[in-house]
Amino acid sequence: MGESSYLAAFIAISALATFATRVVPFLFFEKHTEHPLVKHIGRFLPAAVMALLATVFLQRSADWQAQAPGADALIPALLVVAVHLWRRNALLSIAAGTAAYMAIQQSGIL
Amino acid sequence: MNHHAFKLTLPILFGYIPLGMAFGVLFTTQLDYPWWIAPLMGLVIYAGAGQILAVSLLAANAGLVEVAVAMFVLNARHLFYGLSLLGQFRGAGWRKAYLIFGLTDETYSLLTSRPRSANREQEQHVDFRITAMNQGYWIVGCTLGAVLGKTVAFNSTGIEFALVALFIVLTIEQLKALGDSFPVWAGAAAAALAMMLVPATHQLIAGIVLVTAVLLLHYRKYRTDTMAGDANRG
């Protein structure tokens, strides 16, 4: 196989495999949209996945070898929570936390 | 309304441009392909971690079966996302295929968290716009990274924290909307267990499988409780 046809096949297969993971629930559960179990999972899963993503990516953003392990990401994360509970403005909370994280990372103070 | 959708996607803009650029830079520095292949991958594959994995698979000249399996496994968490959107996407016509295609972690997060009116068709238009904007940011990021390559000079270190902050904000919003903290604690605990037990590449899918299993048990208990409640009332 030539290099450009390998690349074309590679991209097509990657695209199909990725799309397959996203389309499966719609192919197999469409008929069961009103089933109480599917509704239950559909209702509670987003909150669980959000907490899971926040936990995993927060852990990965932090430096656990630092003097104060994890503080470089945990402080901005707490700031996000505090600002969000205070003003409940998503953009403000995200901007505050991101600015704090960038300042900490770029200055290397922690 | 366009403005409204744009505002919702702003955190994604700040996350996707730098992450897309990271992919683009990796792409041009590791591989010997023309720059436009990077945005092309963002257009047709559209998966952050998947595309970064694709760079190493391409560099290793991996077999196509291996590519299919690796991509499927890496993105397997998406198998569960559609369950929350079955009703929302119903009857969306030609838009539906694109809405499903564009269901990344971040788009899923926005679409399942935003307030919705009873007008489903109108909401599907907003969903479509949000999905398209997010993919637009991603493609711009891929392009910038691939074109600028190693010459990227401005110090944006840490800006990708916008996505972590977005997930935190959306967790709080979900908590307020549900009025039940159980799924949040279950999700965080599943993440903690997965991080302790499995390597980084499989942590998300392990955590999601685990928390889905927990929600199945929760369903049985929840149902018994509601039925008992109904019986008491009746």
Side-chain angles (χ1 to χ4, degrees):
Chain A
M1 202 177 339
E3 201 181 337
S4 55
S5 56
Y6 170 75
L7 181 64
F10 182 100
I11 293 177
I13 285 173
S14 303
L16 280 176
T18 304
F19 183 67
T21 61
R22 293 174 184 165
V23 80
V24 159
F26 294 92
L27 295 180
F28 293 100
F29 291 99
E30 191 79 74
K31 284 185 296 235
H32 308 293
T33 308
E34 297 305 316
H35 188 283
L37 176 59
V38 172
K39 286 181 91 167
H40 182 85
I41 298 288
R43 180 167 165 232
F44 289 102
L45 193 62
V49 169
M50 244 34 78
L52 188 141
L53 291 171
T55 309
V56 169
F57 289 111
L58 180 61
Q59 186 264 342
R60 290 183 190 173
S61 315
D63 178 6
W64 299 97
Q65 313 305 323
Q67 244 183 351
D72 61 333
L74 291 176
I75 291 171
L78 287 175
L79 186 66
V80 173
V81 174
V83 172
H84 199 66
L85 292 178
W86 174 43
R87 300 303 296 266
R88 213 175 166 187
N89 176 337
L91 281 184
L92 181 70
S93 322
I94 290 164
T98 306
Y101 184 78
M102 289 176 75
I104 291 171
Q105 297 301 324
Q106 294 185 15
S107 65
I109 51 171
L110 281 175
Chain B
M1 242 195 32
N2 269 322
H3 176 73
H4 173 68
F6 174 66
K7 211 178 139 190
L8 277 175
T9 62
L10 262 182
I12 315 274
L13 170 71
F14 293 123
Y16 272 11
I17 300 267
L19 285 181
M21 285 180 74
F23 160 75
V25 170
L26 194 68
F27 181 89
T28 29
T29 51
Q30 302 288 309
L31 300 170
D32 210 15
Y33 291 115
W35 67 268
W36 53 267
I37 298 291
L40 178 71
M41 288 170 79
L43 182 71
V44 301
I45 303 176
Y46 188 33
Q51 285 176 229
I52 287 167
L53 173 72
V55 171
S56 44
L57 290 173
L58 275 173
N61 224 353
L64 293 176
V65 176
E66 192 186 341
V67 172
V69 172
M71 283 298 192
F72 190 86
V73 171
L74 184 71
N75 291 310
R77 64 183 179 285
H78 296 134
L79 289 170
F80 299 89
Y81 287 2
L83 289 177
S84 312
L85 294 161
L86 291 171
Q88 311 288 5
F89 289 179
R90 180 168 273 186
W94 62 271
R95 288 187 178 80
K96 187 169 169 180
Y98 181 69
L99 286 170
I100 295 172
F101 164 81
L103 215 48
T104 58
D105 292 338
E106 291 74 16
T107 304
Y108 169 75
S109 306
L110 284 190
L111 298 190
T112 55
S113 305
R114 69 185 194 84
R116 285 171 185 276
S117 70
N119 185 342
R120 195 166 68 191
E121 202 191 327
Q122 191 189 323
E123 295 302 332
Q124 285 169 347
H125 283 83
V126 179
D127 287 345
F128 185 82
R129 230 171 281 135
I130 289 175
T131 307
M133 283 186 204
N134 288 349
Q135 192 181 13
Y137 307 149
W138 177 250
I139 293 173
V140 169
C142 294
T143 310
L144 286 176
V147 171
L148 300 175
K150 283 175 247 178
T151 60
V152 177
F154 77 100
N155 192 352
S156 61
T157 308
I159 198 168
E160 69 285 353
F161 192 79
L163 291 180
V164 181
L166 174 70
F167 291 137
I168 294 173
V169 163
L170 293 178
T171 303
I172 298 174
E173 288 300 321
Q174 289 277 354
L175 193 57
K176 293 198 176 205
L178 272 181
D180 182 350
S181 65
F182 177 77
V184 168
W185 293 119
L193 255 175
M195 290 189 296
M196 284 189 280
L197 298 178
V198 296
T201 44
H202 303 310
Q203 284 168 357
L204 291 181
I205 180 63
I208 289 174
V209 168
L210 189 62
V211 83
T212 305
V214 170
L215 288 179
L216 290 179
L217 296 174
H218 178 237
Y219 168 73
R220 292 186 59 180
K221 187 179 172 297
Y222 189 82
R223 241 193 122 174
T224 326
D225 290 355
T226 355
M227 278 178 162
D230 288 347
N232 287 343
R233 241 170 290 147

